[in-house]
Amino acid sequence: MNKPQGVDLVERARALAPLITSEADEIERTRRLTPSVTAALVENGLYRALLPKRFGGAEATPEAFMQMLEEIAKADASTAWCLGQCSVCAMIAAWLDHDTAQEIFNTPPGILAWGAIAHEARIVEGGYRVTARWDFASGSRQASWLGAHVRIVEADGSPRKKADGSPEIRTILFPMSQAVMYDVWDVIGLKGTGTDSYSVDNLFIPEKFAALRDDPAACRESGPLYKLSTNMVFSMGFAATSLGVARAMLDAATELARGKTPQGLKAMRDNNAVQGQIGRTEASLRAARAYLYATAHDVWSDLASGAPITEAHRVAIRIASTWTIHQSASVVDIAYHMSGATAVFANNPFERRFRDMHAIAQQIQARDTQYEDAGKAILAGNLDAPPTAR
């Protein structure tokens, strides 16, 4: 019987969990993935989860992608974060010509990372020229290529506009060797992501390495995966990572409660308050996961049947992802508090997950303004229209 698309990625991720768990302390200490973990992810094809099939990728469903990240996040949140970030970056192959995508993704290790949108690139003969610095490039320390999202300006400095009057934004791509890296990621959580800054100076970018990412008219792939914007898939991936962290944290707290007897109190497993708290928290986590996956399933079913992506799909993904991150953070907080003084020791499986979860909750995908954006779209009522670019 044929397996659903991408299921083997989940099985491979689960098999790699013991290795990642054993390397987690070193990942935390060095603030980047270890060579052995990176090699295992590459050798098992996990970075290629969202790469088009014609380049040797899995072109997995969002559900399989999320399950893969959940399994990795249970072992180490930083590893899952890097894997999710770089996997989504690989979707840009759908907007590149064949030879360009082959050069980037089929020359080992074939990992692309990028940071936040900033700055501009000036049009010159044959391409673009840029001098700039960007931040928040998760997974960049494992990457062979870097990208940057830039506004395009004409030779005279005037902004280039798209047909609808909005600024033209392209994603420029260049080898890691052409950038200067800055080790700035000194943070409380997700320490191992190496989310550093990088810059280029007067760098020439050939036209073929400047993609109109997420522009439906420029997409070269017909599969339903590439109807989704990279931002939509980022949000689902980061929500799945938060679910993995919350699941591991709650499981650890439950295991602790089976055997711990706090001083002056009865055993946690016999404490009615602890029993009720575990039951309610388990329900909250399962509800959050069910909501996220049901949303992804519904959207995917529409797209796979040939329906176009709409504003309704974008809003559904947005609120499900944001709410799931918030619910996961709540689960982590409850499990941490329930575990008492045990949770503050670094050698126990609580303190790092607490910090990692709260670093996830500070990221743009978890902002409360995401609800405002969704509410505005719902009130506007034009949910059958193509999605707005956010």
Side-chain angles (χ1 to χ4, degrees):
M1 184 173 67
N2 291 331
K3 296 178 181 178
Q5 190 173 321
V7 166
D8 57 335
L9 293 172
V10 183
E11 295 170 350
R12 291 179 217 164
R14 193 174 292 123
L16 290 178
L19 167 67
I20 296 168
T21 299
S22 69
E23 295 284 297
D25 287 345
E26 185 68 3
I27 290 170
E28 173 98 349
R29 187 186 70 81
T30 60
R31 295 179 293 118
R32 62 202 64 195
L33 305 192
T34 61
S36 59
V37 166
T38 302
L41 296 175
V42 171
E43 290 166 7
N44 283 274
L46 301 195
Y47 278 110
R48 303 167 77 82
L50 304 178
L51 188 69
K53 288 181 179 178
R54 69 186 175 115
F55 301 116
E59 203 168 320
T61 66
E63 188 172 359
F65 171 62
M66 292 193 298
Q67 288 178 2
M68 177 186 79
L69 292 184
E70 269 194 276
E71 293 301 324
I72 298 297
K74 291 173 188 176
D76 179 59
S78 289
T79 303
W81 191 269
C82 289
L83 176 60
Q85 175 84 9
C86 294
S87 295
V88 177
C89 291
M91 288 177 65
I92 202 170
W95 285 267
L96 298 172
D97 70 58
H98 185 274
D99 290 345
T100 303
Q102 286 278 65
E103 181 178 350
I104 294 171
F105 296 106
N106 284 328
T107 301
I111 300 172
L112 169 67
W114 62 46
I117 182 172
H119 307 296
E120 60 188 31
R122 188 178 295 263
I123 297 173
V124 297
E125 185 176 355
Y128 309 86
R129 196 163 289 280
V130 60
T131 297
R133 174 170 168 163
W134 301 272
D135 303 312
F136 300 110
S138 296
S140 56
R141 294 299 181 175
Q142 295 80 54
S144 46
W145 284 74
L146 293 171
H149 318 306
V150 294
R151 295 175 291 274
I152 301 299
V153 299
E154 304 287 354
D156 63 4
S158 61
R160 175 182 279 184
K161 302 287 187 179
K162 297 194 294 186
D164 62 2
S166 61
E168 181 176 302
I169 296 174
R170 288 181 178 258
T171 299
I172 57 173
L173 307 169
F174 45 90
M176 179 83 167
S177 59
Q178 294 181 345
V180 176
M181 300 298 301
Y182 304 91
D183 188 349
V184 299
W185 195 242
D186 187 7
V187 290
I188 66 164
L190 294 178
K191 286 189 174 184
T193 61
T195 304
D196 289 325
S197 301
Y198 57 108
S199 70
V200 297
D201 183 23
N202 197 33
L203 179 65
F204 174 69
I205 306 292
E207 181 69 40
K208 67 178 183 177
F209 291 107
L212 286 166
R213 179 180 61 104
D214 294 337
D215 184 339
C219 187
R220 300 165 185 258
E221 296 290 331
S222 59
L225 178 61
Y226 306 105
K227 295 179 184 179
L228 295 163
S229 72
T230 51
N231 196 43
M232 293 176 194
V233 186
F234 272 133
S235 66
M236 289 188 283
F238 295 153
T241 298
S242 73
L243 285 173
V245 175
R247 169 47 64 198
M249 186 77 157
L250 183 56
D251 285 352
T254 302
E255 183 62 28
L256 176 71
R258 291 190 179 111
K260 182 177 179 178
T261 301
Q263 185 175 359
L265 300 173
K266 62 181 175 181
M268 289 181 71
R269 67 179 177 274
D270 298 325
N271 186 308
N272 292 344
V274 172
Q275 294 166 354
Q277 194 163 52
I278 287 177
R280 285 190 296 270
T281 308
E282 182 70 34
S284 295
L285 181 56
R286 292 188 190 192
R289 188 178 190 275
Y291 175 33
L292 179 67
Y293 277 85
T295 300
H297 175 79
D298 289 347
V299 171
W300 183 255
S301 294
D302 286 349
L303 300 185
S305 68
I309 188 82
T310 66
E311 182 71 342
H313 293 129
R314 185 190 71 82
V315 169
I317 291 170
R318 164 54 54 216
I319 58 177
S321 298
T322 302
W323 191 80
T324 296
I325 294 172
H326 292 169
Q327 287 298 109
S328 296
S330 177
V331 167
V332 165
D333 286 352
I334 291 169
Y336 183 84
H337 179 71
M338 182 173 62
S339 301
T342 303
V344 305
F345 290 92
N347 64 335
N348 289 327
F350 301 101
E351 179 262 351
R352 181 185 301 158
R353 288 176 179 135
F354 180 85
R355 291 186 288 102
D356 287 342
M357 185 66 246
H358 282 279
I360 293 172
Q362 294 296 104
Q363 205 263 352
I364 189 172
Q365 301 290 354
R367 286 179 180 170
D368 283 339
T369 53
Q370 304 292 0
Y371 294 123
E372 296 175 20
D373 166 57
K376 180 180 179 181
I378 292 168
L379 290 169
N382 194 21
L383 296 177
D384 292 331
T388 55
R390 290 185 179 88

